[in-house]
Amino acid sequence: MSATQKAQEVSPKLLKVMQRAKEDPSTKFISLAHLIDEDALTRAYRRQRNNAAVGEDGVNKKGYGQNLRENIQALHARLKTGQYRHQPIRRVHIPKEGGQTRPIGVSCLEDKLVQEALRQILEAIYEPVFHDCSYGFRPGRGCHDAMRELDRMAMAGEANWVLEADIKSYFDKIPRDLLKEMLAERIADTSLMRLIGKCLHVGIMDGGIYSEPEEGTAQGSVLSPVLANIYLHKVMDEWFAAEVIGRLKGKARLIRYADDFIIGFEHREDAERVLSVLGKRMAKYGLTLHPDKTRIVPFHRPRPNQKDGDGPGTFDFLGFTVYWRSTRRGNYVPAFKTRTSRLKRAIQSVREFCRRHRHDPVNEQRQQLCWRLNGHYNYFGVNGNARALVKLDFEAKRAWRKWLGRRSQRARMTWKKFGEILKALPLPDPTIRVQVWGVARA
């Protein structure tokens, strides 16, 4: 983001905080709450999505905006007098692998505005000190950047051994007291700390049942990702940079996307040494590694005439399976393909959509399918992963044809007729949209 863009999206006062944090990473901020003024809340309102899910109060962006100035003034007055109270979060459950669900919190609109204003302040303070190994929920960084760094490491021989780790229910298990202690190291403004506390100690409405969790940050909350990053910045990033790397024999590199991380090592002994202490490090801060999902994987470049079982393994990262593949020139390079379970889930989701919406107007079905497929291709459409994209495209078309044919018992949907529909209402092509390694490698 350019300096001009930052100036348009961030207040001058917040830019000063950002500059001070950059110049002196050890500085402690005493006065911050005044930054959450009417202008900051109005900017937070404008950042909200028009079609975002509504919270327990049922208020959406359009409805709130009909009396925006008065609503913002009233919210700001409650914040200044300490009368603001965070409303309970509405919890919804999103299906995930293994028949489990991921709980997502949906806050009320005014709470989203307060969370967004707080997020801007915390980002201004912590972005200058966050390490380069962190890619999740940070401006100008993303999953594909983490994959590019992993590709570079593997090509350079710095990831011959990969420590693949998984933290059990990370967002739900963050100890709030320890998190607030970490925040207090940089923030001495008691008013702001109380406001953060109100956003942490909030009730949950789950199917009509009210509860008040004593730990964790609500997934889906605007504030949750930056708080989670601040916690693991202390637990993992700083520890790894200050206490781990200097004690290893070879090169090592941590790549973290929120709570999803891998560590690449040049030597196996280093990987085993870090694994032996990683669980203790997590336990010290109230976290637990998943024993079945934390392991060391050999990932060296395949060697000529290697024996069975001596070759590199594969591991999963950010929804992809990472492996070595042979190029047309006979070289071995790291490659990324959609994780099998994620591809199956995407196919099943498209099939279920076509079944449930088969009686909707065909053009509306097509619009929803395009939205779903484009979202998938934008993320998984990395070079080297064309086969998985084509598979989803084929299954989506097959499912759409099948359920269009079930709209009526009289009209049979032949492939020829379906082809005419696709000609008039085409689905997006399953094309590569993201380069995670240079085209010269192919």
Side-chain angles (χ1 to χ4, degrees):
M1 181 183 292
S2 67
T4 303
Q5 289 174 315
K6 282 186 177 180
Q8 292 173 345
E9 296 188 10
V10 182
S11 72
K13 295 177 183 179
L14 201 55
L15 285 174
K16 289 181 180 179
V17 171
M18 194 180 302
Q19 186 63 30
R20 185 179 170 191
K22 185 177 181 179
E23 292 173 352
D24 184 6
S26 63
T27 191
K28 201 166 185 176
F29 294 89
I30 299 173
S31 178
L32 293 169
H34 70 281
L35 296 172
I36 306 181
D37 53 20
E38 291 181 17
D39 287 340
L41 294 170
T42 303
R43 286 194 298 271
Y45 169 81
R46 289 171 180 159
R47 292 189 191 102
Q48 303 303 308
R49 291 187 295 110
N50 293 328
N51 60 345
V54 299
E56 280 295 303
D57 62 355
V59 177
N60 59 20
K61 182 178 180 179
K62 182 179 180 181
Y64 193 83
Q66 290 177 354
N67 296 294
L68 181 60
R69 185 175 179 183
E70 294 82 358
N71 288 332
I72 292 293
Q73 288 176 342
L75 174 58
H76 184 241
R78 279 182 277 130
L79 286 167
K80 286 184 66 176
T81 58
Q83 295 178 317
Y84 167 77
R85 296 291 182 271
H86 198 297
Q87 299 300 308
I89 291 177
R90 180 171 67 89
R91 174 167 284 177
V92 296
H93 295 269
I94 306 299
K96 56 183 291 190
E97 297 168 19
Q100 299 178 332
T101 61
R102 184 186 302 278
I104 299 295
V106 182
S107 300
C108 297
L109 183 68
E110 282 197 336
D111 297 328
K112 291 179 182 178
L113 305 188
V114 175
Q115 292 170 19
E116 174 63 21
L118 281 171
R119 184 191 67 81
Q120 290 277 308
I121 294 173
L122 291 177
E123 224 173 57
I125 295 171
Y126 285 95
E127 266 300 313
V129 300
F130 279 162
H131 288 250
D132 288 341
C133 64
S134 170
Y135 292 88
F137 306 106
R138 294 183 59 191
R141 287 170 162 254
C143 297
H144 298 129
D145 298 306
M147 294 166 63
R148 292 184 185 102
E149 176 58 19
L150 174 55
D151 176 79
R152 185 204 65 76
M153 287 166 51
M155 290 294 288
E158 298 173 8
N160 295 328
W161 301 88
V162 171
L163 172 52
E164 180 185 13
D166 182 84
I167 304 174
K168 279 187 176 181
S169 305
Y170 172 62
F171 286 87
D172 294 331
K173 296 298 182 181
I174 298 176
R176 293 172 181 171
D177 290 343
L178 290 178
L179 173 59
K180 286 188 284 187
E181 286 178 14
M182 292 180 188
L183 292 169
E185 293 176 3
R186 301 293 309 279
I187 301 172
D189 187 327
T190 55
S191 296
L192 193 82
M193 289 296 292
R194 278 197 299 270
L195 185 56
I196 292 173
K198 289 180 180 180
C199 294
L200 276 174
H201 299 277
V202 61
I204 302 290
M205 287 295 295
D206 190 347
I209 300 175
Y210 179 80
S211 63
E212 294 184 358
E214 297 182 356
E215 57 186 4
T217 65
Q219 293 191 57
S221 158
V222 176
L223 198 57
S224 183
V226 67
L227 290 175
N229 265 340
I230 291 169
Y231 199 73
L232 278 184
H233 168 71
K234 177 80 172 183
V235 176
M236 275 297 302
D237 305 352
E238 284 194 339
W239 169 73
F240 188 78
E243 300 183 34
V244 175
I245 291 180
R247 300 180 182 181
L248 303 179
K249 293 181 179 180
K251 294 180 180 179
R253 171 77 165 148
L254 165 68
I255 301 179
R256 181 175 67 80
Y257 189 94
D259 60 324
D260 195 353
F261 68 91
I262 58 103
I263 308 176
F265 297 90
E266 190 176 2
H267 302 305
R268 178 174 184 169
E269 311 90 87
D270 290 338
E272 292 174 342
R273 188 177 178 188
V274 172
L275 178 59
S276 68
V277 299
L278 185 59
K280 298 174 185 177
R281 177 69 181 178
M282 292 294 171
K284 180 180 178 180
Y285 290 90
L287 304 175
T288 305
L289 291 175
H290 198 299
D292 299 328
K293 298 181 181 180
T294 302
R295 60 183 184 136
I296 295 174
V297 181
F299 199 66
H300 54 78
R301 190 188 302 270
R303 294 182 288 266
N305 304 319
Q306 64 187 11
K307 298 179 181 179
D308 292 342
D310 290 341
T314 65
F315 61 93
D316 296 324
F317 187 53
L318 301 177
F320 291 86
T321 295
V322 189
Y323 67 104
W324 287 92
R325 72 173 180 87
S326 177
T327 69
R328 287 173 293 184
R329 299 177 181 177
N331 301 319
Y332 281 100
V333 296
F336 302 86
K337 64 180 179 181
T338 309
R339 188 177 176 180
T340 301
S341 58
R342 291 291 292 269
L343 181 58
K344 287 181 178 178
R345 193 167 70 192
I347 291 171
Q348 184 58 36
S349 176
V350 168
R351 287 173 177 168
E352 186 63 16
F353 169 82
C354 292
R355 183 187 69 83
R356 293 172 60 182
H357 295 270
R358 61 186 181 276
H359 294 298
D360 292 355
V362 177
N363 191 46
E364 290 183 12
Q365 292 186 47
R366 183 254 180 185
Q367 289 177 348
Q368 285 294 315
L369 282 171
C370 286
W371 177 77
R372 290 165 180 266
L373 293 173
N374 274 321
H376 186 94
Y377 298 156
N378 287 340
Y379 182 76
F380 288 101
V382 304
N383 43 354
N385 194 33
R387 183 176 296 179
L389 305 185
V390 171
K391 172 71 172 175
L392 177 60
D393 173 71
F394 172 77
E395 294 294 344
K397 290 174 179 175
R398 187 167 73 165
W400 197 21
R401 170 188 168 272
K402 172 184 175 179
W403 290 108
L404 285 177
R406 301 287 180 91
R407 287 158 62 97
S408 170
Q409 294 182 350
R410 292 174 295 177
R412 185 167 174 265
M413 181 60 65
T414 63
W415 277 105
K416 182 179 180 180
K417 186 175 180 181
F418 181 63
E420 294 172 355
I421 292 176
L422 284 179
K423 202 170 187 179
L425 301 171
L427 295 179
D429 292 329
T431 54
I432 300 301
R433 305 186 181 189
V434 181
Q435 299 288 327
V436 294
W437 42 264
V439 293
R441 256 178 38 178

